[in-house]
Amino acid sequence: MSGLPGWPASLQALLDALPTPIFFKDAAGVYTGCNRAFERYLGLPRARIVGATVHDVAPRDLAEVYRRADEALLRQGGEQVYEAQVAWADGSRRDVIFRKAVIAGPAGEPLGIAGTMSDVTEQRRAEAAGREGLRRAERSEANFRAIVEGTPSIVFIHRDGVVLYANPAAARLVGLPADRLVGRQLLDFAHPDDRAALGPRLAAVGAGGEIVPAAEVRALGADGRVVPTEFLSIEVQHDGGPARVAIGRDLTERKEAEERLSRAQRLGALGTMAAGVAHELNNPLAFVLSNLGHAVEELGRLEGAVAEPRVRGALQELGGVLGEAREGADRLRVIVRDLRTLSRADDATRAPVEVARVVDYAAGLAASALRSRARLVREIGVVPPILGNEARLGQLLLNLLLNAAQATPEGPGPERTVRVTARGAPGGRVLLEVSDEGAGMAPEVRARIFEPFFTTKPVGSGTGLGLWVCHQIVEAHGGEIAVDSEEGRGTAVRVWLPAAPAVLPPASGAPPGPAP
């Protein structure tokens, strides 16, 4: 049998001329006819197909799927459309849309099923290509929306600059629901400084699918945030008339990567320069500090040996001046130390470090800075030693304590505290926290505190290296650092560092001293 009962040969010849695979089955699922395109699909002659079932000719993984779909169609009646990926006789896998309908008898009883297979492989490949899918929008609105709404690319369709459509990525960019963007001017979503240059580009899109090359535009969100983007434009048919499509992508990650690369290059150059500067300053600075210290001690002895009040007063005044000079030179020593940190990799020496000893060391060095501002409170729990470099961890805590002191107002007033806590943390780590009750930081300042050379202190009061050095030390130790701060409510800096394995011997030796 080559078709249904009474099937005319002329109709069979017509079906054989069609490129679309066509098949017929009876109510029991037995093939009763097909055309030549269906034979080519299965790679079997018609004589092998007619009289067989799907289990006889279809791949094992699909036969049961087909059978169940046929049974559901016969029960429900009407038509059935679904898509599947099937293996062609030549071994290729093709995306196919099956369209099936029930063939009813004179009394409405189901006699069988007629079906077609539409190969949509190339169409699906085009849809995945993005821009090619947009060119097919005129043919299939459903396919257009499936592609455009699922893509991470930003898509605006506009006519004369008025938005006709915006996909979900565009809505996320602007920060408004997509339906609220329709009817708005596209230029409303560009930075005011970019609108003058963007307007002519929107009008310059040519017909016939000509693409206007991509250009960078600063997009403006509803909340005022500025997002760097890149857009290209193309003309399409939309809703019965010519329209223009602006396809863009968010450049934030690329810009951040470029900035990180640029910063790394700058730091490399600065490190080379800092190494030379620190080396040249270190020796004469040690000489100056030594002589200033000696001069202050000698003046102290002379003051005790002189009875004349006027001479004693002059010696005291001179001692104060020398003391201020000594403090200034000591500040230079700290700057040289930070420059040396910038100029070289972190010391690779690691050993178990007792937390309490490092806290004591840092607190002793920061005592003079804290004395007139806040009371230091230590809450050191029972914690394991930290695996690290003792001198570098001492520098880390010292920098954090000095920052806390500088953030706290000087002079009389309500008693303020700077608190140092240490406790165990999940994952075999130790949590160190330094908190103060000082001025706190605004969000825009907090976002930049780990940038090298960024400081809010007056000129001459800071280098902007302190927290950057802290960040470098923590990263070199395989730890993490985070800052919680609010204007007027103080700051808390938390550092998580790996604990030393229990099998390592305890750290030994004297606590680290100040750099020469």
Side-chain angles (χ1 to χ4, degrees):
M1 179 183 290
S2 61
L4 292 177
W7 193 261
S10 60
L11 184 54
Q12 180 67 54
L14 175 62
L15 294 179
D16 285 342
L18 296 176
T20 301
I22 300 173
F23 59 88
F24 303 92
K25 302 177 186 177
D26 63 18
V30 177
Y31 285 101
T32 61
C34 65
N35 68 348
R36 294 193 186 281
F38 192 74
E39 292 181 65
R40 289 192 294 271
Y41 154 61
L42 289 179
L44 297 172
R46 191 174 305 167
R48 288 274 306 278
I49 299 172
V50 174
T53 68
V54 291
H55 285 282
D56 298 323
V57 298
R60 184 180 301 176
D61 58 335
L62 292 176
E64 187 64 19
V65 175
Y66 294 156
R67 185 189 67 79
R68 291 178 182 176
D70 290 346
E71 289 180 352
L73 178 59
L74 289 169
R75 284 196 309 270
Q76 299 166 5
E79 295 182 345
Q80 186 182 74
V81 180
Y82 61 91
E83 184 173 333
Q85 190 176 76
V86 300
W88 228 253
D90 62 4
S92 63
R93 297 193 70 84
R94 314 290 290 178
D95 294 311
V96 173
I97 293 180
F98 287 87
R99 289 181 173 85
K100 300 178 183 179
V102 174
I103 303 173
E109 73 278 11
L111 297 180
I113 294 173
T116 66
M117 300 170 59
S118 300
D119 186 351
V120 294
T121 304
E122 297 306 321
Q123 182 181 345
R124 292 296 176 258
R125 288 174 181 171
E127 289 169 358
R131 187 169 65 198
E132 188 66 24
L134 286 178
R135 291 176 178 168
R136 293 177 180 267
E138 152 180 35
R139 304 179 190 176
S140 174
E141 179 69 16
N143 288 341
F144 162 75
R145 287 189 177 274
I147 295 170
V148 175
E149 294 190 359
T151 181
S153 297
I154 303 154
V155 178
F156 286 102
I157 299 180
H158 65 97
R159 184 176 288 125
D160 297 326
V162 178
V163 176
L164 304 177
Y165 168 82
N167 73 340
R172 290 192 295 271
L173 172 74
V174 176
L176 291 173
D179 56 356
R180 290 182 57 186
L181 304 183
V182 176
R184 297 277 298 273
Q185 288 287 333
L186 188 58
L187 288 178
D188 290 348
F189 310 125
H191 192 280
D193 294 344
D194 293 350
R195 291 172 187 171
L198 182 60
R201 292 185 61 84
L202 294 178
V205 182
E210 178 187 349
I211 297 175
V212 172
E216 288 193 20
V217 178
R218 287 174 294 175
L220 197 62
D223 57 359
R225 64 194 176 92
V226 177
V227 181
T229 58
E230 183 179 61
F231 277 91
L232 58 83
S233 297
I234 185 173
E235 186 169 281
V236 297
Q237 292 293 316
H238 182 77
D239 287 343
R244 286 154 185 176
V245 180
I247 308 170
R249 58 174 176 158
D250 189 337
L251 298 180
T252 302
E253 290 187 3
R254 193 183 83 179
K255 293 290 186 182
E256 290 176 352
E258 290 174 351
E259 175 60 27
R260 287 194 295 269
L261 177 60
S262 175
R263 185 182 302 168
Q265 291 171 339
R266 292 198 305 269
L267 286 176
L270 286 171
T272 302
M273 180 191 71
V277 171
H279 178 74
E280 293 298 325
L281 289 179
N282 204 41
N283 289 336
L285 187 58
F287 178 74
V288 170
L289 280 169
S290 175
N291 282 310
L292 284 173
H294 178 70
V296 169
E297 292 175 1
E298 288 298 318
L299 281 173
R301 283 194 290 270
L302 287 174
E303 183 184 341
V306 174
E308 174 63 38
R310 189 172 63 178
V311 176
R312 287 174 62 88
L315 290 175
Q316 289 175 352
E317 182 178 355
L318 182 58
V321 170
L322 288 175
E324 291 177 359
R326 188 179 185 183
E327 289 180 4
D330 194 61
R331 173 61 184 156
L332 286 175
R333 177 187 61 79
V334 173
I335 293 172
V336 169
R337 180 199 64 195
D338 288 346
L339 284 173
R340 293 175 67 189
T341 299
L342 177 65
S343 67
R344 59 177 171 83
D346 191 72
D347 192 336
T349 304
R350 296 285 187 271
V353 177
E354 295 295 338
V355 175
R357 187 165 67 173
V358 173
V359 172
D360 289 344
Y361 157 67
L365 292 180
S368 60
L370 288 166
R371 189 174 297 115
S372 61
R373 298 174 183 266
R375 179 172 58 91
L376 180 63
V377 177
R378 309 181 203 190
E379 297 176 352
I380 312 300
V382 179
V383 294
I386 294 172
L387 180 61
N389 180 274
E390 193 170 37
R392 307 299 283 141
L393 293 176
Q395 183 182 4
L396 165 69
L397 274 173
L398 176 59
N399 283 359
L400 295 180
L401 287 173
L402 291 177
N403 275 0
Q406 292 164 2
T408 305
E410 190 174 8
E415 185 180 43
R416 300 180 179 88
T417 61
V418 169
R419 192 175 302 271
V420 181
T421 61
R423 58 181 180 274
R429 299 191 298 177
V430 175
L431 171 60
L432 300 178
E433 180 175 328
V434 176
S435 59
D436 62 66
E437 300 172 357
M441 291 179 281
E444 60 271 17
V445 173
R446 189 170 64 247
R448 299 186 60 193
I449 56 173
F450 294 123
E451 293 182 12
F453 305 109
F454 173 76
T455 180
T456 58
K457 298 172 185 174
V459 176
S461 299
T463 62
L465 286 173
L467 281 175
W468 180 84
V469 168
C470 292
H471 190 272
Q472 298 298 102
I473 293 173
V474 172
E475 278 200 342
H477 281 75
E480 298 177 42
I481 184 169
V483 176
D484 183 16
S485 183
E486 187 176 340
E487 282 188 290
R489 303 191 64 177
T491 299
V493 182
R494 299 181 182 91
V495 177
W496 291 266
L497 293 167
V503 297
L504 291 178
S508 60

